Amino acid sequence: MRVLLVAILPYLATSFTAPSKAFGVTRAPSSVERADAVQCPRPSSVLKALEDGTNVDGVGANGTAEKKKVIILGGDGFCGWPTSLYLSDQGHDVIIADNLSRRNIDTELGCDSLTPIQSPEVRIQAWKEATGKDIKFINLDVAKEYDLLVQLIKEEQPDSIVHFAEQRAAPYSMKNSKAKRYTVDNNVGGSNNLCCAVIDAEVDAHIVHLGTMGVYGYGTSGGEIPEGYIDVTLPGGRESNILHPAHPGSVYHATKCLDALLWQFYQKNDNLRITDLHQGIVWGTNTPQTILDERLVNRFDYDGDYGTVLNRFLMQGAMGVPLTVYGTGGQTRAFIHITDTARCIEIAINNPPAAGERVEIFNQVAETRRVRDIAQLVAEQTGVEVDFLPNPRQEAAENELDVANRKFCNLGLDPISLDEGLFDEVTEVVKKYQSRCNPQKILPASFWNKKRAEECASLEDKEVTLKTKAEAEA
């Protein structure tokens, strides 16, 4: 695809879905129509390995490469914890570094995880008892404790460093000036510190960063969003392949765009080996590893700041609460199950760029769906109504989204698609812990600007009433 830099990119797109296969779950047909499926072509050697459980060295399918020592920054969080367990389960030597900032934000917001997450020490001990495998935990602030970060990398000599250690919620990043400044200081400062620390430690560690699809914007590429780099025609007819233009929609997304520029600079200047993963919205709660012991349960955020849209819908449906759709619900977004997040991280670890190669970029998504279509799917399953609320975000009311995800598929990922059978897992978690829910935290509490806040003023008097457990199960 060739585009002129000076042109206004048209809004074109269609939804896609990739092959679906979760851990032993039989898929029920979806009641929501979707566009023609895009099958992921895969090498026959990878396909054979997936079918018979054998390893194929160098191919990059899950568990096929040599086992590595991996430091996971932010390994206590929603994506970091299940990824840490998955990599440990696959035989990698895992070290978690986390300053527990997400737990501190729980206290700030007055809203705990719906699931009762244990301390890192209890979690790690439970993992040891369940599997016999060791995970090391270090309390470390990547953005502030630079000397300790350098020391950790020197002492551990990791093959890979997975970087989850960023404030991950767009709504929280727009909450107020304090949250905006913290998000920038923590996210951009931490990423810069990581690059500097790898250089100062003199360790050839492969950095794997969890980015976001939001760096591209939504429906602004003039067709399918490529994986990181886009072909352009410069003035004079010169053709080039450049980093996709940034189009952030929040302070959080802006930090990921700034991260992307840092990766480009440090790769070019210091030959760092870096992979940036542009991930879609994560849904689901547990993985085959977190269900081994109740003390291993992953966190479940349901509030207006940190609850991802599908998890919020599933929680609301299970509790008999009308689904909170912002605006028209015409926003099309990319999605990925939490289990596939962990699988993608290992594939990236197993397939690092060589020294001197440009930053590797993957689109870490399974499929795209329109928000109101997802709400319809959950409403039909749970029998609740859909409540269209004023949109707290500054964004287009409707957009299309077409995303390329061929790299992961070609390396053996068989992504899980949105499926009622898997919805049941989330619903059971919600019903089990529904007494921990604070219904007033369900509604949006962060607004993109004064105009958005004024248009959402009616939400201040809105009350949310949960069904009793007996009513919800009736």
Side-chain angles (χ1 to χ4, degrees):
M1 176 179 61
R2 302 287 174 187
V3 298
L4 290 175
L5 285 178
V6 295
I8 299 175
L9 299 175
Y11 290 72
L12 301 171
T14 54
S15 296
F16 76 91
T17 181
S20 57
K21 179 177 70 179
F23 32 94
V25 177
T26 301
R27 300 256 185 302
S30 171
S31 60
V32 177
E33 291 187 6
R34 55 177 91 175
D36 291 340
V38 175
Q39 299 296 323
C40 293
R42 301 194 302 191
S44 59
S45 56
V46 173
L47 198 58
K48 185 177 186 300
L50 293 174
E51 290 173 349
D52 61 22
T54 59
N55 290 341
V56 183
D57 291 338
V59 173
N62 295 330
T64 62
E66 64 185 42
K67 304 312 174 185
K68 301 181 179 182
K69 177 177 282 191
V70 184
I71 294 176
I72 301 183
L73 307 177
D76 185 59
F78 173 56
C79 292
W81 176 243
T83 298
S84 298
L85 297 188
Y86 178 78
L87 294 180
S88 176
D89 200 31
Q90 294 296 102
H92 300 287
D93 184 4
V94 174
I95 302 102
I96 292 175
D98 199 303
N99 69 341
L100 308 183
S101 62
R102 180 65 191 87
R103 296 176 185 244
N104 295 332
I105 291 174
D106 278 345
T107 301
E108 174 192 337
L109 298 179
C111 184
D112 292 330
S113 163
L114 187 68
T115 51
I117 55 175
Q118 302 298 315
S119 69
E121 292 76 14
V122 170
R123 282 176 147 186
I124 288 171
Q125 180 59 34
W127 180 246
K128 172 72 171 178
E129 293 172 6
T131 67
K133 299 178 183 294
D134 290 305
I135 293 178
K136 185 186 297 185
F137 172 77
I138 298 169
N139 194 316
L140 172 66
D141 190 324
V142 176
K144 294 182 178 179
E145 297 177 314
Y146 179 73
D147 291 342
L148 294 179
L149 178 60
V150 175
Q151 180 182 341
L152 173 65
I153 296 172
K154 279 186 176 180
E155 290 179 353
E156 296 295 346
Q157 297 285 307
D159 299 293
S160 303
I161 302 175
V162 180
H163 182 22
F164 289 114
E166 295 184 290
Q167 194 291 106
R168 66 172 175 83
Y172 181 82
S173 79
M174 302 300 293
K175 197 171 193 65
N176 49 43
S177 295
K178 178 183 176 182
K180 291 174 182 177
R181 293 171 61 243
Y182 167 72
T183 300
V184 172
D185 291 346
N186 180 78
N187 293 9
V188 181
S191 295
N192 188 57
N193 278 357
L194 174 57
C195 291
C196 292
V198 170
I199 295 166
D200 286 349
E202 298 181 324
V203 174
D204 181 26
H206 170 214
I207 296 172
V208 177
H209 172 250
L210 189 69
T212 172
M213 283 296 301
V215 299
Y216 299 117
Y218 295 102
T220 61
S221 291
E224 182 184 68
I225 294 178
E227 303 203 59
Y229 301 95
I230 188 169
D231 294 325
V232 299
T233 301
L234 300 170
R238 293 171 294 145
E239 296 181 351
S240 185
N241 182 256
I242 66 171
L243 187 68
H244 192 287
H247 200 85
S250 71
V251 169
Y252 158 75
H253 292 107
T255 65
K256 297 293 189 175
C257 295
L258 294 170
D259 284 345
L261 294 178
L262 286 175
W263 309 140
Q264 294 292 320
F265 170 75
Y266 281 109
Q267 182 282 318
K268 179 181 67 174
N269 192 70
D270 299 280
N271 278 333
L272 294 190
R273 296 183 299 129
I274 302 171
T275 297
D276 201 7
L277 307 176
H278 294 335
Q279 179 167 259
I281 297 172
V282 182
W283 68 282
T285 304
N286 282 316
T287 68
Q289 290 74 40
T290 63
I291 62 173
L292 293 178
D293 188 299
E294 190 168 4
R295 294 168 295 174
L296 299 174
V297 68
N298 196 23
R299 70 176 300 122
F300 187 107
D301 297 308
Y302 64 89
D303 61 289
D305 281 336
Y306 275 88
T308 61
V309 61
L310 179 52
N311 277 4
R312 283 194 295 108
F313 286 171
L314 292 171
M315 184 278 298
Q316 291 163 0
M319 293 188 176
V321 176
L323 309 183
T324 53
V325 175
Y326 301 159
T328 67
Q331 309 93 331
T332 304
R333 296 294 183 262
F335 292 88
I336 186 170
H337 191 271
I338 185 64
T339 298
D340 281 338
T341 292
R343 290 170 175 162
C344 287
I345 294 296
E346 190 189 26
I347 291 175
I349 287 172
N350 288 347
N351 293 272
E357 289 185 354
R358 71 179 182 177
V359 176
E360 180 63 85
I361 301 176
F362 292 81
N363 288 340
Q364 189 165 305
V365 303
E367 61 186 314
T368 63
R369 292 286 189 96
R370 201 174 297 275
V371 170
R372 61 172 170 256
D373 291 342
I374 295 174
Q376 176 189 340
L377 185 64
V378 176
E380 289 177 353
Q381 184 182 13
T382 61
V384 301
E385 297 179 350
V386 177
D387 193 2
F388 290 90
L389 304 179
N391 195 344
R393 303 182 180 219
Q394 185 69 34
E395 63 184 3
E398 307 271 335
N399 74 274
E400 303 297 334
L401 189 64
D402 186 12
V403 183
N405 69 341
R406 298 176 187 85
K407 289 183 180 179
F408 271 129
C409 292
N410 287 339
L411 290 170
L413 179 70
D414 189 5
I416 299 167
S417 61
L418 301 186
D419 175 81
E420 290 95 330
L422 286 172
F423 289 177
D424 291 342
E425 177 264 323
V426 179
T427 300
E428 288 304 312
V429 170
V430 171
K431 289 180 178 179
K432 183 175 183 179
Y433 299 111
Q434 68 180 50
S435 63
R436 293 172 53 85
C437 176
N438 180 346
Q440 296 312 311
K441 298 298 181 179
I442 292 175
L443 297 175
S446 297
F447 310 96
W448 261 233
N449 51 43
K450 290 182 179 179
K451 182 179 179 181
R452 293 288 102 199
E454 290 171 356
E455 293 184 0
C456 294
S458 60
L459 298 178
E460 293 181 5
D461 300 324
K462 193 176 183 64
E463 294 186 359
V464 177
T465 303
L466 305 180
K467 287 184 178 180
T468 65
K469 189 170 184 179
E471 289 174 334
E473 293 177 351

